[in-house]
Amino acid sequence: MSVKKKTYCRNCGAVCGIELEVAANRVIAVTGDRENPESQGYFCVKGLTSMDFHNGEDRLLACRKREADGSFVDIDGESLIDEVAAKLREILDAHGPRSVAFFNGTHGYGTLSMPLTKSLLHSIGTPNVFSTMTIDQSAKWINHGRMGLVPTWKYSDLEADVLMVVGNNPIVSHMGKPWTGIRNNAAGRAIREARKRGMKLIVVDPRITETARNADIHLQINPGDDAMLFAGLIHLCINNGWYDKAFCERYTCQFEELERAVEPFTPELVAKRLGLEQARLREVARLFGTAKKASCGSGTGSNMSRNSNLSVQMLEAFNAICGGFRKPGDEVPNPGLLSGGIPPVFSVIPANRTWEAEPKAVSDASIGQTYGEFPTGILADEITSNSPDRIRALLVLGGNPVMAMGDPDKTVPAFESLDLLVTVDPRMTDTARLSHYVVAPALPYERHDCTMINDASYHRPFAQYAPPALTPPPGVLPDWELIWGIAKRLGYQLELKPAIFGASFSSLPDGYKLDMENKPEPEHLIEEMCRQSLVSFDELKAHPSGYAPEIEPVVIREPEEDDGARLSLMPEDVAAELAAELEEYRPGGEFPLLLSTRRLLETMNGSFRDAGKTRKRYAVNPLFMHPDDIEAHDLEGAEKVIVESRFGKVSAALRKDPTMKPGVVALTHMWGSALDEAPNTPLGSYTGRLVSLREGLQTINAMPRYSGVEVSVSAA
Ligand SMILES: Nc1nc2c(c(=O)[nH]1)N[C@H]1C(S)=C(S)[C@@H](COP(=O)(O)OP(=O)(O)OC[C@H]3O[C@@H](n4cnc5c(=O)[nH]c(N)nc54)[C@H](O)[C@@H]3O)O[C@H]1N2
Ligand SMILES: Nc1nc2c(c(=O)[nH]1)N[C@H]1C(S)=C(S)[C@@H](COP(=O)(O)OP(=O)(O)OC[C@H]3O[C@@H](n4cnc5c(=O)[nH]c(N)nc54)[C@H](O)[C@@H]3O)O[C@H]1N2
Ligand code: SF4
Ligand SMILES: [Mo]
């Protein structure tokens, strides 16, 4: 006998509603939940693969401990917590709070354990919080810190006349809404609907992506050329009066500095450098600058490329001068629910440059924190530094930083030198293999979760609570219990605060103090975490397909008085970075091609890479290359190639792909292995070998270059 249970998929930011068919505590079928008012039945192959993942394909069914000889043995959850807590106590007593650190991975964000871990770290007194945010898009945080921010944010595909989508492919990544305004699930349909009502879509991407194919205008530039492009567009807009003068006067400062800084970026120069028609640039500048509601934003592409901080800064300055924000009088389609909603008054949060304040990194005094985190680009240095305050113990939650960070010659020895590495992951990833303890966690359909972290990812106010649909296998340890158990043994009081993306523990008001004697009920914890929600927990529970309440429309009001806060359009450090961009950049010589990032529908970073359904479609991650490049590099007929950068090489299977820009190749990340010596493994090609954590890092956030890496490709 089987039963149907409603829940939502937790594999990616689309968080689609799904329906599980469960028999004997196993999932036997997964379908999209048509009654979910937000996703309306939409789901993808990864939602389907999650069935095999829960049922055991590729899954750890018990926690593990590494023995002296390097082999792993099973360990029960309580013993694991005892041993980890004792080791932590020893390290803390000997070396103080800064010896302990936390890395929050992709699958940590939506869990109860993420906010609880932040509370634990706060009790310990360590500032060492790291996450994937600083290896995928911290340029956005640096932009907030240098320019400022408008909390009522930008237009989405529901409202915009023009949307400009830069380095973002939401049709595959299902992640557009918070960045570029494109709906996360069913992005293709959302784009088609928006264009039918008249919206124009401009895409900036080196590849003819699934999203670019649906665009009115596609600017196919090289990775890393975004700053040049946006400097040129700003130049055109200012010189032709195609910008929002009233908005600039009231809400921005440093306009003259901006005007001066972009002066040399003439349409002639920019068109020549980017290989675009001047008329095209002019068309884009005019379309965007004269539209009533136009917004421009970036995904991860330009945030991972050459000059990522400058690129995002220029893109956001372009958006700001054109008034690319919802303004007084505009309605906010989704003001948020579980996180309590946003204030309905237009405001600017001015540049705050938090990284200039204490605390600083121990390996580099020029690096401080943004949004309460240190950049992951320096994590290896923070471990190997000779400072007495170096990191000696690291907890990794739902991530695989050894692979994700790249530069294995630096990353792997750093992780190997830790006194304590604990990884919470259902698979024996590279990071798990280097760990002293691997915690086999309960998987999503076995957990209590709610969509608080996804609050801003929905188009309309929406929230969902998911109680467990399955009982976890006996050997696993739900990750929040790990954190609670450690805190209890170390004598700390945990405090649960809302899971709000990017909010540091101390920036949030007081939370709920957990019972540290008797293990709390996780459902009760979710209820307490949602205390500031605009809908009651009972209402949430009464809507198993998710709750989309009718709420009073939020219309943005003018602020009553001028608080003096302005968006800084061209700070001095940005002007210096932009001036340097005038110097011509051109890959060439030994490494004439640019390696770009690319995501596959079947995988979520390293997750599902080894799943049967994925391998059927992708035996390995191929190197995508334009047919003209294949010919130009004498690779016609080659099956295997060697991809080499100044930092390392990998072999890869070659795949012809006319959607690539000639001169640009792409290889998906998190395949292969950072640990195996051979440059190629049956698991695929590890792109991290081609990147460097030693040179070319951005200032302020130490962001490495994962896109626009100079490479050569030759026959194997
Ligand atoms: N199916 C699937 N979905 C995912 C993931 C996955 O692995 N698979 N990963 C998830 C994660 S962790 C994230 S962060 C999001 C990312 O979501 P997205 O940012 O949408 O990621 P991509 O699909 O890689 O799209 C980035 C685009 O940037 C382009 N690009 C590369 N370099 C540059 C550049 O310098 N300038 C410009 N303008 N464009 C550039 C690439 O060609 C690519 O099309 O996706 C999430 N969703
Ligand atoms: N060269 C190169 N490097 C890159 C990128 C690139 O484009 N090129 N992209 C970057 C990006 S965007 C990111 S976000 C990072 C990825 O960085 P990570 O987040 O470190 O990598 P993932 O592979 O997503 O790791 C997620 C882990 O969570 C585990 N997991 C799955 N479900 C659960 C669960 O329910 N609970 C727990 N506890 N664990 C679970 C999975 O098994 C997986 O090992 O890599 C970055 N690195
Ligand atoms: S798009 Fe796919 S992976 Fe993402 S939430 Fe929906 S079903 Fe899950
Ligand atoms: Mo990411």
Side-chain angles (χ1 to χ4, degrees):
M1 250 277 289
S2 70
V3 284
K4 294 218 165 161
K5 297 194 177 182
K6 287 176 187 282
T7 183
Y8 63 93
C9 177
R10 269 145 275 182
N11 296 330
C12 89
V15 276
C16 303
I18 51 175
E19 198 164 37
L20 306 175
E21 195 173 334
V22 177
N25 201 40
R26 281 175 77 81
V27 187
I28 57 171
V30 183
T31 47
D33 180 4
R34 285 171 198 281
E35 287 167 25
N36 183 300
E38 172 69 21
S39 56
Q40 299 173 11
Y42 181 88
F43 84 127
C44 83
V45 57
K46 293 184 293 307
L48 204 58
T49 312
S50 67
M51 171 167 95
D52 309 320
F53 197 38
H54 279 75
N55 288 343
E57 184 189 30
D58 200 22
R59 176 180 182 181
L60 279 181
L61 292 167
C63 300
R64 318 212 77 193
K65 172 186 179 175
R66 183 152 55 89
E67 300 282 82
D69 67 357
S71 64
F72 282 90
V73 292
D74 288 358
I75 178 171
D76 70 278
E78 285 302 307
S79 308
L80 181 147
I81 301 174
D82 284 340
E83 291 184 20
V84 168
K87 187 73 192 169
L88 273 175
R89 173 50 58 223
E90 191 188 308
I91 293 171
L92 284 168
D93 285 348
H95 306 289
R98 279 199 75 155
S99 54
V100 175
F102 168 50
F103 177 84
N104 187 41
T106 299
H107 291 276
Y109 288 101
T111 62
L112 258 181
S113 41
M114 193 271 280
L116 289 178
T117 307
K118 288 196 173 173
S119 168
L120 174 64
L121 298 176
H122 183 79
S123 299
I124 290 174
T126 173
N128 286 322
V129 178
F130 298 82
S131 80
T132 52
M133 181 65 191
T134 50
I135 43 171
D136 68 10
Q137 44 175 315
S138 54
K140 296 185 178 89
W141 281 358
I142 303 309
N143 169 257
H144 298 164
R146 298 205 283 189
M147 188 178 105
L149 170 72
V150 173
T152 39
W153 206 229
K154 303 176 186 175
Y155 298 108
S156 71
D157 60 45
L158 289 177
E159 320 139 79
D161 303 321
V162 181
L163 275 189
M164 189 151 169
V165 169
V166 184
N168 179 209
N169 185 18
I171 293 184
V172 167
S173 70
H174 294 106
M175 196 64 195
K177 174 66 184 19
W179 304 335
T180 58
I182 307 281
R183 191 187 172 96
N184 284 358
N185 53 50
R189 191 167 68 207
I191 290 171
R192 281 191 296 278
E193 280 167 12
R195 288 182 67 206
K196 219 188 300 163
R197 95 179 145 70
M199 187 191 87
K200 298 278 184 238
L201 178 67
I202 306 168
V203 167
V204 182
D205 201 297
R207 190 170 83 83
I208 307 168
T209 60
E210 294 69 10
T211 307
R213 239 181 275 148
N214 284 280
D216 295 277
I217 300 177
H218 175 204
L219 301 179
Q220 200 175 3
I221 63 171
N222 270 349
D225 278 351
D226 306 69
M228 172 67 57
L229 170 69
F230 286 99
L233 291 173
I234 296 171
H235 176 111
L236 274 165
C237 287
I238 293 181
N239 283 17
N240 291 287
W242 298 328
Y243 67 99
D244 189 336
K245 293 185 194 66
F247 182 83
C248 287
E249 268 162 34
R250 173 64 180 80
Y251 291 112
T252 71
C253 61
Q254 302 169 346
F255 186 88
E256 287 73 29
E257 286 87 337
L258 176 69
E259 188 172 9
R260 221 175 309 128
V262 299
E263 178 66 48
F265 293 82
T266 59
E268 296 75 21
L269 174 81
V270 174
K272 184 161 161 271
R273 288 274 182 93
L274 302 185
L276 298 172
E277 300 278 332
Q278 277 190 50
R280 249 307 128 110
L281 288 175
R282 204 172 286 279
E283 184 189 0
V284 169
R286 191 158 68 111
L287 183 64
F288 195 88
T290 59
K292 237 179 109 198
K293 296 182 177 183
S295 287
C296 171
S298 63
T300 57
S302 20
N303 289 247
M304 290 188 175
S305 242
R306 184 177 70 87
N307 265 339
S308 49
N309 287 344
L310 179 67
S311 289
V312 173
Q313 194 80 22
M314 296 311 295
L315 173 167
E316 295 294 344
F318 173 66
N319 184 70
I321 63 162
C322 297
F325 301 102
R326 295 193 181 106
K327 286 177 279 299
D330 286 330
E331 194 179 317
V332 183
N334 174 21
L337 274 188
L338 293 184
S339 53
I342 47 159
V345 180
F346 190 90
S347 69
V348 165
I349 298 176
N352 55 18
R353 294 183 180 254
T354 52
W355 53 87
E356 289 175 357
E358 295 296 325
K360 299 288 192 193
V362 298
S363 62
D364 181 347
S366 78
I367 304 268
Q369 289 190 307
T370 40
Y371 286 79
E373 297 187 13
F374 280 119
T376 298
I378 61 160
L379 176 54
D381 290 326
E382 293 292 282
I383 296 170
T384 54
S385 149
N386 49 25
S387 158
D389 273 340
R390 70 184 176 85
I391 293 170
R392 294 159 204 267
L394 176 67
L395 170 69
V396 172
L397 177 65
N400 184 7
V402 166
M403 279 200 86
M405 289 161 62
D407 199 342
D409 295 343
K410 178 167 180 170
T411 304
V412 172
F415 275 67
E416 278 172 339
S417 75
L418 286 162
D419 295 342
L420 177 65
L421 176 57
V422 180
T423 296
V424 184
D425 202 297
R427 291 163 47 239
M428 280 310 273
T429 62
D430 282 357
T431 307
R433 283 165 67 193
L434 296 183
S435 299
H436 300 94
Y437 297 91
V438 184
V439 177
L443 289 182
Y445 308 150
E446 300 156 356
R447 294 199 305 250
H448 300 74
D449 283 332
C450 72
T451 55
M452 177 175 283
I453 198 93
N454 313 95
D455 227 23
S457 293
Y458 297 116
H459 257 53
R460 302 279 186 199
F462 177 81
Q464 193 162 1
Y465 165 64
L470 306 167
T471 310
V476 312
L477 175 62
D479 32 357
W480 77 269
E481 290 186 30
L482 167 77
I483 307 305
W484 183 83
I486 293 174
K488 178 180 156 101
R489 283 163 181 76
L490 295 180
Y492 295 125
Q493 170 66 57
L494 286 182
E495 187 180 345
L496 180 61
K497 294 187 176 184
I500 294 175
F501 190 80
S504 64
F505 185 83
S506 49
S507 69
L508 294 167
D510 288 351
Y512 169 74
K513 294 205 167 43
L514 272 70
D515 184 340
M516 297 306 295
E517 274 312 306
N518 308 299
K519 206 180 279 176
E521 278 300 318
E523 177 165 297
H524 180 63
L525 293 180
I526 300 269
E527 182 173 6
E528 290 294 345
M529 188 168 77
C530 295
R531 262 199 269 177
Q532 73 298 349
S533 162
L534 302 183
V535 290
S536 75
F537 193 62
D538 286 339
E539 280 172 302
L540 262 189
K541 275 175 59 176
H543 291 81
S545 283
Y547 189 31
E550 288 294 327
I551 60 167
E552 202 55 31
V554 169
V555 178
I556 303 172
R557 296 195 310 267
E558 286 281 1
E560 268 160 34
E561 24 182 304
D562 183 355
D563 62 1
R566 300 286 184 274
L567 295 170
S568 304
L569 295 175
M570 187 47 70
E572 271 173 35
D573 51 351
V574 179
E577 288 165 29
L578 185 63
E581 181 69 13
L582 278 171
E583 207 164 294
E584 186 150 14
Y585 168 80
R586 205 181 272 243
E590 236 184 297
F591 303 107
L593 297 162
L594 292 174
L595 176 81
S596 177
T597 54
R598 176 154 177 187
R599 271 151 231 279
L600 305 177
L601 183 66
E602 290 74 10
T603 58
M604 176 69 184
N605 303 329
S607 295
F608 307 123
R609 180 191 76 185
D610 304 327
K613 287 190 176 66
T614 305
R615 291 285 173 168
K616 245 187 239 159
R617 192 155 152 66
Y618 287 101
V620 290
N621 56 331
L623 180 82
F624 297 100
M625 194 173 195
H626 193 275
D628 291 354
D629 283 338
I630 292 183
E631 205 190 310
H633 293 260
D634 281 333
L635 296 169
E636 211 70 70
E639 281 181 15
K640 280 254 149 143
V641 291
I642 302 287
V643 189
E644 188 166 3
S645 77
R646 282 200 298 119
F647 315 108
K649 60 179 167 185
V650 294
S651 74
L654 180 65
R655 185 171 301 186
K656 192 179 280 190
D657 183 355
T659 69
M660 296 303 301
K661 182 179 196 286
V664 181
V665 293
L667 195 57
T668 302
H669 61 300
M670 305 305 273
W671 289 64
S673 168
L675 301 184
D676 296 323
E677 284 297 317
N680 184 47
T681 73
L683 298 176
S685 312
Y686 175 47
T687 49
R689 246 174 249 290
L690 303 170
V691 309
S692 171
L693 289 173
R694 299 153 217 252
E695 46 179 281
L697 301 188
Q698 292 288 289
T699 57
I700 306 176
N701 57 346
M703 178 65 193
R705 203 196 287 185
Y706 296 127
S707 191
V709 180
E710 293 141 37
V711 295
S712 65
V713 178
S714 53

